[in-house]
C-alpha cells in the first residue's frame, strides 16, 4: 500500500520533469528560431505532444496520491451515522455515570465475618463483538 | 471495520511481527474514533494505554492529542491513575495552556470536586473571556449537579453569543427534552436542521419531538419530517416506523376529513410494506428469518391504531 503511493508519486515527479523539459525545449526552440530568423515556424509537434502528455500524466498521478474521494451527494456520507455517535457532545461530557463505579478496582479491605462481602471482581465488560 | 476481537489479540500478536503496523493502525483507529465522536472509552483506554506506554516513539506529534483522548476515556473508566499520567505529561509539555487547564478541571469534575473545577474554569475565563470550552464545562458542572434550569439558562446565554455552535444547540435540545419542554426542543432542532439540511438524523429527531408533542398539526408535521428523513436516507428504520405511526395516528383521529384519512392509511400501508420488506431482506439466509418476519407482522398489526 505504501509502494503503490510511491509509484504514483514517481509518476507525478516524472510528469512534472517532462513538463519542465518540454517548457525548456520550447524556450530553446524559440531562441533558435529568433537566431535563424525563421520566427514564423510553429513549435515542433513533439514538444507540443510532450507537453500535453506530461500534463495528463501529472494530473492522473496527482489524483492517485490525493487521498480518498468523497461522495458528491452530501447526504450519502451520513447514511451510516447513527444517534449513538451524534448524541455525543465531547465538550459537554459528564463523568458522574455508572462507569465510575463499575470499573473501579476493589479496595483492599479485610473482610470480617460481620462485614458484607467485599466487592466482587470489577465487571470487566466483555468487549462488545459488534462495536466497530 | 474490524471487530474488537482483533484488538484483543494485540497483547499476543503485537510483540511478534507487526509492531509498527499495529501502532500505525491503532493510531488511525484512534483518529477515526476522535472524528466520529465515539465514546467507546474502554476500547480507547485499552488501545491507548499500550500505545503510549510502548509505542510512543512511533506516534510523533500525534501523541499529545492521543494523551488527551486517552485521559478523557480513562476518566470514564475510573482509571484515575492513567488519567493523571496523561495529564502530567501534557502539563510538562504545555505548561501554560488553557486546553490543559481545562483537562485539569475535567479531572476534578470526575472526582466530584466541583468547586475546585469551577475555580479553574473561572481562572481560564478571566484570562480569556472568549474561551468557549471553559464556559461549556461550567454548564456541564451545573448539569452534573442536577441544576438543569441554571444549565439551560447559561446555555441559552452562551448560544446568544455563539450562535453557530451546533454541539451546544443539540445539547440544549437534549436538556429541553429532559424537562419535557418539547416546543423549545423543537426550536433547537430547527436551528440544527437549517444548518445541516442533509442530515437525516436531525430531521428524524425533530419529527420524533413533534410526534411526542401530539395534536393533529404536530402529527402532520412529524409525518412530513419522517418522510423527509427517509428521502435523505432510505435506510433509516426509525423514520420508517415513525412514518407508519404518525400516519396511522392521523388516520385514526376523529377530526380529519375522509380524504385525509384515506391518504394517511395509504401512507401507513406503504410504510408497513417497506418495514416488512426491510426485515425480509435483512434476515434472508438466516434461520431465524421466518420467526422475525412473523414477529414484525404481528407487531405492525397490533400497532394499528383503531378508533375506540
Amino acid at each position: 500500500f505504501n509502494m503503490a503511493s510511491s509509484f504514483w508519486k514517481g509518476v507525478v515527479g516524472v510528469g512534472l520533469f517532462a513538463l519542465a523539459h518540454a517548457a525548456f525545449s520550447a524556450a530553446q526552440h524559440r531562441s533558435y528560431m529568433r537566431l535563424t530568423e525563421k520566427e514564423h515556424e510553429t513549435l515542433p509537434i513533439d514538444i507540443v505532444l510532450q507537453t500535453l502528455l506530461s500534463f495528463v500524466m501529472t494530473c492522473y498521478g496527482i489524483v492517485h496520491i490525493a487521498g480518498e474521494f468523497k461522495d458528491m451527494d452530501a447526504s450519502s456520507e451520513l447514511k451510516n451515522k447513527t444517534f449513538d455517535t451524534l448524541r455525543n457532545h465531547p465538550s459537554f461530557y459528564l463523568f458522574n455515570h455508572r462507569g465510575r463505579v463499575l470499573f473501579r478496582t476493589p479496595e483492599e479491605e479485610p473482610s470480617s465475618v460481620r462485614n458484607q462481602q467485599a466487592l466482587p471482581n470489577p465487571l470487566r465488560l466483555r468487549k462488545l463483538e459488534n462495536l466497530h | 471495520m474490524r471487530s474488537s476481537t482483533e484488538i484483543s489479540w494485540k497483547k499476543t500478536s503485537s510483540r511478534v511481527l507487526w509492531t509498527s503496523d499495529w501502532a500505525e493502525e491503532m493510531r488511525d483507529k484512534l483518529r477515526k474514533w476522535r472524528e466520529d465522536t465515539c465514546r467507546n472509552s474502554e476500547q480507547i483506554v485499552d488501545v491507548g494505554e499500550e500505545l503510549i506506554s510502548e509505542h510512543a516513539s512511533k506516534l510523533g506529534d500525534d501523541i499529545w492529542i492521543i494523551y488527551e483522548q486517552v485521559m478523557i476515556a480513562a476518566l470514564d473508566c475510573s482509571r484515575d491513575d492513567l488519567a493523571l499520567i496523561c495529564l502530567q505529561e501534557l502539563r510538562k509539555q504545555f505548561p501554560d495552556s488553557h486546553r490543559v487547564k481545562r483537562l485539569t478541571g475535567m479531572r476534578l469534575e470526575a472526582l466530584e470536586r466541583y468547586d475546585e473545577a469551577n475555580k479553574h474554569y473561572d481562572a481560564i475565563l478571566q484570562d480569556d473571556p472568549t474561551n468557549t470550552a471553559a464556559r461549556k464545562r461550567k454548564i456541564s458542572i451545573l448539569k452534573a449537579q442536577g441544576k438543569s434550569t441554571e444549565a439551560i439558562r447559561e446555555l441559552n446565554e452562551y448560544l446568544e453569543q455563539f450562535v453557530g455552535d451546533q454541539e451546544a444547540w443539540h445539547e440544549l435540545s437534549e436538556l429541553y427534552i429532559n424537562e419535557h419542554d418539547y416546543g423549545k426542543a423543537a426550536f433547537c432542532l430547527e436551528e440544527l436542521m437549517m444548518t445541516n439540511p442533509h442530515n437525516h438524523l436531525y430531521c428524524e429527531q425533530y419529527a420524533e419531538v413533534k410526534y411526542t408533542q401530539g395534536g393533529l398539526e404536530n402529527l402532520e408535521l412529524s409525518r412530513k419530517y419522517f418522510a423527509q428523513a427517509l428521502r435523505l436516507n432510505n435506510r433509516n428504520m426509525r423514520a420508517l416506523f415513525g412514518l407508519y405511526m404518525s400516519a396511522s395516528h392521523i388516520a385514526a383521529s376523529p377530526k380529519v376529513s375522509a380524504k385525509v384519512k384515506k391518504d394517511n392509511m395509504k401512507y401507513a400501508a406503504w410504510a408497513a410494506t417497506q418495514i416488512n420488506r426491510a426485515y425480509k431482506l435483512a434476515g434472508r439466509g438466516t434461520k431465524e428469518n421466518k420467526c422475525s418476519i412473523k414477529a414484525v407482522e404481528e407487531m405492525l398489526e397490533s400497532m394499528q391504531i383503531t378508533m375506540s
Side-chain angles (χ1 to χ4, degrees), chain A residues 89 91 93-94 97 127 132, chain B residues 2 46 76 137 167 171:
Chain A
H89 309 131
S91 312
Y93 274 166
L94 290 184
H97 50 62
K127 302 189 202 313
H132 293 294
Chain B
R2 303 214 186 162
D46 269 347
D76 266 342
R137 287 319 302 173
E167 205 187 25
E171 183 71 22

Side-chain angles (χ1 to χ4, degrees), chain B residues 207-208 210-223 226 240-257 260-269 271 300 302-308:
Chain B
E208 286 176 5
K210 282 292 169 196
Y211 180 85
T212 313
Q213 266 186 304
L216 190 58
E217 252 177 53
N218 288 327
L219 279 177
E220 299 214 315
L221 207 57
S222 91
R223 189 200 68 221
F226 278 128
L240 202 48
F241 272 105
L243 182 61
Y244 175 76
M245 296 291 291
S246 48
S248 313
H249 260 297
I250 298 175
S253 159
K255 293 184 263 177
V256 294
S257 64
V260 172
K261 203 193 192 73
K262 219 168 52 131
D263 283 340
N264 279 289
M265 287 179 61
K266 233 182 14 182
Y267 303 145
L300 285 173
S302 69
M303 278 204 296
Q304 250 167 34
I305 295 122
T306 52
M307 292 225 298
S308 52

Side-chain angles (χ1 to χ4, degrees), chain B residues 161-172:
Chain B
Q161 269 193 298
F162 298 95
V163 191
D165 190 338
Q166 308 203 346
E167 205 187 25
W169 278 114
H170 206 203
E171 183 71 22
L172 186 58

